[in-house]
Each structure stands twice: as C-alpha cells, then as structure tokens.
Amino acid sequence: MKTSSSTPQSSTTPTATSDEPKADNLTISNLSGKYINHTQPPSTASTTSSLLLSSISTSIILFPPTSTPLFSSAAVKNVTNTLLFLSGAINGPIHITSLSNTTILIACRQFRMHDANNVDVYLLCSSRPIIEDCSGVRFAPLDVDVGGEWRSVRNLWDQVDDFKWLKSGHSPNWEVMEEEERVGKDVWGEIMRWKVADVVKEEEEVVRGVLGKYVRGG
C-alpha cells in the first residue's frame, strides 16, 4: 500500500502540509508550492521500503536525519525548482530522472542521475556517482551530520562518472561547487527545525523565499 500526496486545490491561503509515512513504500507526487516535513519514520520500516518523489515543483521536501535510514531505495522523477532534503533517508540506491533548477541533499549507497539541468547536489555516497544526459550540475560534500554508520563511510562525492562524456579530460557537464558558494550546515539545520506551524500562513510565499536563496533558478 502506498500513501500519496495529491495535487493541492487552489486557495487564497495555502495550508502547510506534514505527511508522516504510514507504510513501507511512500509516494509523494503532484505537488506545487508546498512545504512537507517528514518528522516521523515509517511505522513499518523494513529493508524493502522505497520512496518515490514525482511531478513536484516549487516545493520543499524534508526528511530530517534519523538514526536508521528510512528507505532501502528511492526514485525521483520530474522535479523542478525544489529543495529535496533526503539526508540519511536512503540506505541504498537513488535514481533521479528529469530534474531541473533544484537542490538535493542526499546520503546514499549509489547515486545515478539522468536528464538533469542546473542542479546542485550535496552528496554523501559510498560509490562513484553516475550522471547521464546532464548539464550544469554542481557537486559538493554533504555537510550535515546524518549520524550512525554514515560517519565511517568514505565519501566519493567528487568521483563522478559521466556516461555521456567518453573523451579524455574532465566532463563539461558537471563541476565541483566552489566552497564560498556552498550553503552551510547551519542554514540547513535551521530549515530542518521548522515546524508546520512556522509556515502555515502564506506557505507558498515562504517556500518561494527559501528557494530563491538556496536553489539556482529558484
């Protein structure tokens, strides 16, 4: 069984949303202008649980770090102008397709991204990240304490393989983000500590304000 967030109805005052996973497999889809903070782990978390994020725009999706990863795998599809905070949530692979003008923070075992443009990735990954058909991607190390076994993982965040760049030399499709352009852990920590009540009024305006600061093209 999957839980799914449906498309919000138009309203003069958007209502903030806080979804708590209730099953092993979680789907969040068809969102725009929303703030979602998953403060609770799945009630029946298991080694086969999975996460799907699909058709999301101009939103903030947060999974604050937990002592145990929430999902064994994740897929992200058709996301634009969004902040995805998946730090420590994935104890396995993540597959990303059709991502643009988005910032993603993620700790995972395998990272693969296809058809992405103008994306910033703050990454903790125990294998070499893979990109394909991407452009304008910037990588930085994940500067968030996700705790647990992640503390002993060798982070290969900058050992990126571009499957569409077979020539010698560095691929022009990705680069290491300059240190002065990286968002610090204090800022991410502040956003993680937000509660739904903090943005219950004028939710979309609050979301757009954050995206304008911390997401390229936001």
Side-chain angles (χ1 to χ4, degrees):
M1 178 180 179
K2 295 183 179 181
T3 59
S4 177
S5 299
S6 58
T7 305
Q9 300 297 318
S10 60
S11 172
T12 55
T13 304
T15 301
T17 304
S18 179
D19 288 348
E20 295 182 1
K22 298 300 183 183
D24 287 350
N25 300 326
L26 175 66
T27 295
I28 302 174
S29 62
N30 302 315
L31 293 181
S32 180
K34 304 301 290 183
Y35 170 81
I36 295 183
N37 190 334
H38 288 261
T39 57
Q40 299 293 329
S43 57
T44 55
S46 73
T47 57
T48 60
S49 58
S50 64
L51 172 67
L52 171 62
L53 304 177
S54 177
S55 301
I56 297 171
S57 66
T58 319
S59 295
I60 300 173
I61 310 294
L62 298 176
F63 284 84
T66 60
S67 58
T68 302
L70 304 182
F71 304 99
S72 61
S73 63
V76 178
K77 303 177 181 179
N78 302 318
V79 174
T80 184
N81 194 28
T82 290
L83 171 61
L84 298 177
F85 199 113
L86 308 179
S87 175
I90 315 300
N91 191 28
I94 183 168
H95 296 273
I96 301 170
T97 305
S98 297
L99 196 70
S100 64
N101 299 330
T102 289
T103 294
I104 180 170
L105 294 85
I106 177 71
C108 60
R109 300 297 178 183
Q110 300 173 30
F111 179 93
R112 185 158 188 167
M113 185 163 63
H114 178 263
D115 187 25
N117 178 60
N118 208 32
V119 172
D120 287 344
V121 181
Y122 293 81
L123 181 64
L124 171 56
C125 189
S126 57
S127 61
R128 295 174 68 95
I130 295 171
I131 64 172
E132 188 173 10
D133 292 320
C134 296
S135 63
V137 179
R138 303 191 303 181
F139 284 89
L142 180 64
D143 188 20
V144 174
D145 184 11
V146 294
E149 61 187 43
W150 291 108
R151 292 175 177 169
S152 62
V153 169
R154 182 190 176 199
N155 190 4
L156 302 181
W157 66 276
D158 60 347
Q159 304 300 304
V160 181
D161 291 325
D162 184 350
F163 279 13
K164 284 300 179 72
W165 184 257
L166 304 179
K167 301 177 182 179
S168 60
H170 192 283
S171 165
N173 299 317
W174 73 276
E175 63 181 348
V176 171
M177 191 186 306
E178 298 292 339
E179 290 191 18
E180 60 270 19
E181 296 180 320
R182 300 173 188 174
V183 179
K185 61 182 178 181
D186 291 342
V187 173
W188 299 132
E190 180 180 352
I191 294 174
M192 278 192 297
R193 287 189 293 271
W194 283 1
K195 304 299 182 184
V196 173
D198 296 333
V199 294
V200 70
K201 294 183 178 180
E202 309 300 336
E203 177 185 8
E204 188 168 0
E205 286 77 4
V206 172
V207 169
R208 288 184 181 276
V210 172
L211 298 180
K213 288 183 179 180
Y214 306 121
V215 175
R216 284 192 291 161

